[in-house]
Amino acid sequence: MAAEPVAWRADGVPYSERFGDIYHPETGALAQARHVFLGGCSLPGAWSGRPKWLILETGFGLGLNFLTTWQAWRADANRPRLLHFVSIEAHPVGPEDLLRAAGTYPELMPLANELAAQWQGLLPGFHRLAFDAGRVMLTLCIGDVQPMLRAQRFEADSVFLDGFSPERNPAMWSPDTLKAVSRFARQGTGIATGTYDRAVRDALSQNGFQLERRPGLTPGRDCLAGVFAPAWTVRRRGPAPEHVETPGRCAVIGAGLAGAAVAASLARRGWQVTVLDAAERPAAGASGLLAGVLAPHVSPDDALLSRLTRAGIRATWLELERLLEEGRDWHAGGVLERRPEGDTRVPAGWNENGPNESWPASAAQLSGAGLPVDAPALWHARAGWVRPSRLIEAWLREPGIEFRGGAAVSRLVHGAAGWQLLDAAGRLLAEADRVVVAAGYESGRFAPTLPLQPVRGQVAWGRMAEDLALPATPLNGDGHLIAHVPTDEDALLWLAGATFDRDSTDLAAQANDTEANQARLKRLHPGAAAALAAAFESGGAQAWVGIRCASADRRPLVGPVGDAGLWACTALGSRGLSFAALCAELLAAHWHGEPLPLPANLAKALGTARAAL
């Protein structure tokens, strides 16, 4: 998706040729953001002492409202723990224009650089960007305003109505759009806009906003501020049963990728989290794979799994950059996906002028990886390998989390005081207000209504000799190959696999599976297979076995199990690295009434409610 072009006038004011209008007045975007939007919604004072603050904006433009709000949050000693900023934008500009717009304001440039660093892959849909250790979250909703409003659900504390003028962009200010905006308001929600258009005032008033006229920055140009205070009773559903205002105690069963990600997301919101696992250490199950490929699923029609993995990898990538050492714990060098012969399909969103983060591999990339230059393959730029145990350990080190190993939960008991987690002898392991089951294929013991299936996987791996010629880039396709993975002893490893055996929980290595992985490697990369032939034949190829957990439709399951505060985050299948962080944020959004990290239909596609179907 190509970036929206911005025309910069001689006086430095940015201009949109599409709408025939300027992005901000000559008085400056920073002054407008502070006076019209923050001032109109009584910020930062209004958020003082609150646990979180949720802002809805129509029209992200060049991002100055977001940057100014973020700066105000940083400067406020009484700021909320979390700041959510949700903004809708149909025509996102390029990162260079974001930086140019902020360049006039030195106090915003450090923040603008952080924003520009995450500004990529903005295909239609939702994109969650996170800053300040995940305490400032920007959810970009890329698309036309009304479909994007329908796809999001939360109650906003403040609403910024921005965008080009009603005369130039009438769809943004139509009665239907403003009615849709009002559905995000609760009693007392603040609203601010730089227009004083009569039709806009009338539509907002008819939808329950009490408005006041305020002087604008430009003489003779007024603006609007107000609150949602309808004279009638708003008939809406009350808070969902899972919503909580005050975080309490949570127990998470399972210390793999799913459990550790959930623990970290909840701890950031103030929960005291106890993570229990039958093993003595974290990542003892399927998440203990020595290294795994992190790469998206792509399709010409941008299928459901493609959209889910794209969102998931963005969420994981932010955590990898924040918590781990690149080059040792993970590697961001991209992944080559080899396609079947004759498969020339290209990913959705790719074109010659504006590539997505995945596109057809070049001859240079193929030859550099030791493949024929005419081999059908895709290059995934935002991909690489990850050592899952390192990510799990980093998540479990977050403040507010306690890990208890050797704690095999056998039974859950719910009473008036909450949940008790007991072992096989009836001894109390933990007490909690809520419980999240994230125990992989063992989750079915606590959530028997979920359609879970164990899937055994065996991987071949070994140490790399100094002269072993293996591609530096991970390969994916019919199997995978990862090489040059460093160990704590400064050795290098290679991994190839993996098998996929449904309904098997056998952890014993199988010789025929090693042979199957060797045959798979020959199809994927004949040169690497030849280089590793001696290792396979001499017993130098070792085997690692793990049991994944999959659902009936091969999508994760995130949601309540019953109605007493028991939840599940499980069935991540073979894409735990892609899904763990996203599913954890989705669960936290449900609990706290926060903006969804995914469009509502995609969030529903991960919900436990579909298990009944």
Side-chain angles (χ1 to χ4, degrees):
M1 182 174 180
E4 178 75 359
V6 178
W8 291 86
R9 300 190 325 196
D11 59 0
V13 173
Y15 179 82
S16 168
E17 294 183 345
R18 179 189 297 271
F19 292 100
D21 201 358
I22 56 177
Y23 277 87
H24 60 72
E26 289 82 353
T27 49
L30 180 60
Q32 175 180 256
R34 287 173 173 167
H35 176 78
V36 174
F37 295 104
L38 272 72
C41 289
S42 302
L43 297 174
W47 67 35
S48 180
R50 295 282 296 274
K52 64 179 184 293
W53 198 260
L54 315 180
I55 297 175
L56 172 67
E57 178 187 55
T58 57
F60 188 79
L62 294 166
L64 275 302
N65 288 343
F66 167 68
L67 294 174
T68 305
T69 305
W70 180 12
Q71 185 205 32
W73 178 88
R74 270 194 170 184
D76 186 4
N78 296 314
R79 62 181 176 263
R81 175 187 290 270
L82 290 179
L83 174 65
H84 272 282
F85 197 103
V86 178
S87 190
I88 298 171
E89 178 58 59
H91 309 288
V93 303
E96 64 284 353
D97 286 313
L98 294 177
L99 293 172
R100 183 169 179 177
T104 309
Y105 314 106
E107 61 268 50
L108 296 184
M109 278 308 297
L111 307 184
N113 284 321
E114 290 189 47
L115 174 62
Q118 295 188 36
W119 194 266
Q120 72 282 313
L122 299 181
L123 290 174
F126 286 13
H127 304 271
R128 172 67 60 82
L129 285 62
F131 309 92
D132 280 331
R135 301 193 187 280
V136 174
M137 284 174 272
L138 169 63
T139 305
L140 287 169
C141 306
I142 305 300
D144 292 336
V145 62
Q146 291 193 42
M148 291 298 101
L149 289 172
R150 288 194 297 270
Q152 184 59 273
R153 298 173 186 169
F154 67 97
E155 288 189 345
D157 298 297
S158 303
V159 175
F160 296 172
L161 295 180
D162 203 0
F164 298 109
S165 68
E167 296 81 13
R168 303 290 186 177
N169 188 13
M172 182 72 83
W173 305 92
S174 72
D176 287 343
T177 297
L178 298 178
K179 182 177 181 179
V181 166
S182 73
R183 297 193 184 102
F184 288 79
R186 52 162 178 76
Q187 194 75 22
T189 294
I191 192 166
T193 180
T195 185
Y196 195 68
D197 182 86
R198 176 61 182 270
V200 172
R201 301 198 318 264
D202 289 347
L204 291 174
S205 297
Q206 291 166 9
N207 283 290
F209 288 97
Q210 302 293 322
L211 304 171
E212 65 171 308
R213 183 175 186 170
R214 303 180 78 237
L217 291 173
T218 304
R221 183 172 181 176
D222 294 324
C223 56
L224 279 174
V227 295
F228 187 70
W232 58 90
T233 300
V234 178
R235 297 188 180 278
R236 292 181 184 161
R237 293 180 181 176
E242 62 266 19
H243 286 188
V244 291
E245 288 299 325
T246 304
R249 302 166 302 161
C250 177
V252 177
I253 304 175
L257 282 164
V262 166
S265 285
L266 294 178
R268 280 197 295 272
R269 290 159 173 84
W271 288 82
Q272 293 298 310
V273 185
T274 302
V275 179
L276 302 104
D277 200 286
E280 294 295 334
R281 57 180 177 81
S287 296
L289 181 65
L290 299 171
V293 173
L294 179 68
H297 175 279
V298 296
S299 54
D301 60 349
D302 206 21
L304 176 62
L305 184 59
S306 300
R307 287 173 281 157
L308 288 170
T309 58
R310 188 164 62 240
I313 287 176
R314 181 183 285 275
T316 300
W317 202 271
L318 295 173
E319 295 295 273
L320 295 173
E321 290 183 323
R322 182 173 74 89
L323 296 170
L324 301 187
E325 179 184 349
E326 203 279 334
R328 176 159 290 274
D329 302 325
W330 71 296
H331 185 48
V335 168
L336 269 173
E337 178 184 344
R338 189 161 188 183
R339 291 293 185 94
E341 292 299 324
D343 187 346
T344 58
R345 296 174 300 168
V346 298
W350 181 85
N351 61 62
E352 297 290 348
N353 300 317
N356 181 20
E357 294 168 346
S358 300
W359 58 85
S362 67
Q365 288 167 332
L366 290 165
S367 62
L371 293 173
V373 296
D374 59 349
L378 297 177
W379 171 252
H380 301 299
R382 201 168 184 80
W385 58 256
V386 182
R387 298 173 68 182
S389 62
R390 293 303 181 89
L391 181 57
I392 291 168
E393 292 163 0
W395 273 332
L396 294 180
R397 286 195 298 268
E398 297 270 29
I401 300 174
E402 177 190 2
F403 169 71
R404 295 180 186 172
V409 180
S410 179
R411 190 159 56 97
L412 302 176
V413 178
H414 184 257
W419 288 91
Q420 291 186 331
L421 291 83
L422 309 175
D423 67 9
R427 291 185 294 262
L428 181 66
L429 296 173
E431 294 181 294
D433 304 307
R434 294 194 173 190
V435 175
V436 179
V437 178
Y441 75 96
E442 298 275 1
S443 299
R445 295 198 294 115
F446 309 102
T449 60
L450 298 183
L452 303 178
Q453 182 182 48
V455 180
R456 180 185 178 277
Q458 181 168 317
V459 172
W461 68 277
R463 290 178 178 266
M464 288 183 59
E466 292 184 3
D467 59 347
L468 192 59
L470 294 178
T473 301
L475 273 78
N476 207 7
D478 177 19
H480 67 264
L481 171 66
I482 312 171
H484 307 280
V485 177
T487 69
D488 295 337
E489 297 80 26
D490 291 326
L492 295 178
L493 302 180
W494 60 267
L495 300 93
T499 61
F500 195 90
D501 303 319
R502 295 181 176 89
D503 297 317
S504 174
T505 58
D506 184 2
L507 288 171
Q510 303 292 333
N512 59 334
D513 283 347
T514 298
E515 293 171 2
N517 282 329
Q518 185 180 17
R520 187 175 284 109
L521 181 58
K522 288 179 180 178
R523 295 191 297 271
L524 181 70
H525 196 296
L532 291 171
F536 276 99
E537 292 162 6
S538 66
Q542 302 182 57
W544 178 93
V545 180
I547 311 300
R548 318 174 189 101
C549 174
S551 67
D553 57 14
R554 299 295 180 260
R555 296 196 299 270
L557 286 157
V558 183
V561 182
D563 56 2
L566 178 65
W567 279 61
C569 181
T570 189
L572 275 58
S574 58
R575 295 185 181 274
L577 286 167
S578 297
F579 283 136
L582 176 67
C583 290
E585 282 297 293
L586 178 60
L587 182 145
H590 284 315
W591 284 20
H592 291 272
E594 296 176 9
L596 296 173
L598 290 165
N601 63 327
L602 296 190
K604 186 177 180 181
L606 298 180
T608 50
R610 75 184 197 273
L613 303 177

